[in-house]
Amino acid sequence: MPIFLDTGNVNEIKKYHQMGIIRGVTTNPTILLKEGVKGGMAGVKARSIEIASLIAPYPLSVEVTTNDYKKMIDEGLEFSSWAPNINVKITIHGPNGELENLEVIHKLEIEHNVRVNVTAMMSAQQCFLAALAGASYVSIFGGRVNNMGYDSRLEVTKIRDLLDQFNLPAQIIVGSTREVLNVVEWLHAGAHIVTATPSLIEGMIVHPYSKETVQMFLKDAKAFSEAAGK
Ligand code: E4P
């Protein structure tokens, strides 16, 4: 399942889904805000259902909007009831390092059979613990790791080795993608999935030299048919 789209923009999702190149979508509160989702939870619900039905059966990640233990469980149950392909994003810990999140993740996965994507992780050790707690997806923010001065590729390879060594079924998602190059380099390092913005996916497709080559073909094809018309 290599490429997910990291956006809440329905038109962009439609465009890349119709090309057959994406296998899921990730969102977070920041992304939904940027994409103009309004109306509180009703707005989040409407946009999530729209995206989930558009890409079904591929997965959509929707992030909880709270760090309260009970409310995270309630939102997790609610979000996952909106569509069968919605999974719930929970951060590895709270804003001040609160530790309850792993228990929430464990409960949602094991007791409630809800698929959880553990997010906002910066290291292999965090991803390993999230996978032990039962997470279906472990999301490491590769671009932010690089920005802290560490090589995210090494973390990705370490996580993959640990998951394989201990037969943990979690899928690694690498996000926070900053450069076109990241997509292939993280997949090469062992990520199961990279999530990238629409503009980075476009950057993967379009190459100036391909443009020039296509222009040459079309110009010569025109000359060819003009000559045949004479
Ligand atoms: C991944 O699932 C996240 O939505 C995203 O990639 C976060 O990236 P950022 O560092 O651009 O906020």
Side-chain angles (χ1 to χ4, degrees):
M1 289 295 176
I3 297 180
F4 284 9
L5 211 53
D6 203 20
T7 185
N9 183 306
V10 174
N11 288 334
E12 296 286 6
I13 295 167
K14 222 177 256 172
K15 181 163 94 187
Y16 290 100
H17 182 53
Q18 279 166 358
M19 291 180 203
I21 59 176
I22 60 162
R23 296 291 182 273
V25 170
T26 47
T27 63
N28 61 40
T30 309
I31 285 173
L32 293 182
L33 190 68
K34 196 178 120 219
E35 287 306 333
V37 171
K38 291 193 185 74
M41 196 50 80
V44 173
K45 181 176 179 180
R47 182 68 61 96
S48 301
I49 290 173
E50 189 178 5
I51 298 171
S53 80
L54 184 62
I55 62 166
Y58 295 139
L60 164 69
S61 289
V62 184
E63 188 161 333
V64 295
T65 63
T66 170
N67 211 79
D68 175 84
Y69 182 97
K70 185 167 177 316
K71 287 182 188 154
M72 281 194 278
I73 302 255
D74 291 346
E75 285 193 357
L77 295 175
E78 192 192 336
F79 295 0
S80 62
S81 76
W82 292 341
N85 54 332
I86 289 183
N87 57 60
V88 178
K89 255 178 160 178
I90 311 254
T91 55
I92 179 68
H93 58 62
N96 294 303
E98 296 88 340
L99 297 180
E100 300 83 18
N101 297 35
L102 278 168
E103 192 178 314
V104 170
I105 291 154
H106 185 64
K107 252 190 192 316
L108 283 171
E109 282 276 0
I110 308 302
E111 282 179 29
H112 300 288
N113 200 27
V114 169
R115 303 283 75 83
V116 179
N117 174 355
V118 182
T119 190
M121 294 193 283
M122 308 292 158
S123 68
Q125 63 196 8
Q126 290 178 312
C127 293
F128 183 48
L129 293 172
L132 285 172
S136 295
Y137 299 97
V138 292
S139 285
I140 180 163
F141 282 17
R144 293 189 191 227
V145 172
N146 288 347
N147 284 341
M148 290 184 293
Y150 302 99
D151 186 341
S152 56
R153 292 169 302 176
L154 301 178
E155 290 306 295
V156 172
T157 302
K158 270 192 274 176
I159 305 161
R160 182 56 184 265
D161 286 350
L162 287 170
L163 296 184
D164 291 350
Q165 183 180 344
F166 295 103
N167 287 319
L168 292 164
Q171 301 262 296
I172 304 163
I173 303 178
V174 191
S176 184
T177 312
R178 299 281 184 262
E179 297 176 314
V180 168
L181 172 72
N182 295 149
V183 178
V184 168
E185 74 178 4
W186 287 332
L187 291 171
H188 187 242
H192 298 97
I193 298 151
V194 172
T195 188
T197 57
S199 63
L200 286 172
I201 303 292
E202 182 177 340
M204 289 175 76
I205 302 169
V206 179
H207 191 290
Y209 198 29
S210 298
K211 265 195 200 171
E212 191 187 311
T213 308
V214 175
Q215 284 164 14
M216 178 189 75
F217 287 154
L218 291 176
K219 184 170 74 53
D220 292 341
K222 197 168 164 218
F224 184 75
S225 30
E226 276 168 6
K230 277 183 195 158

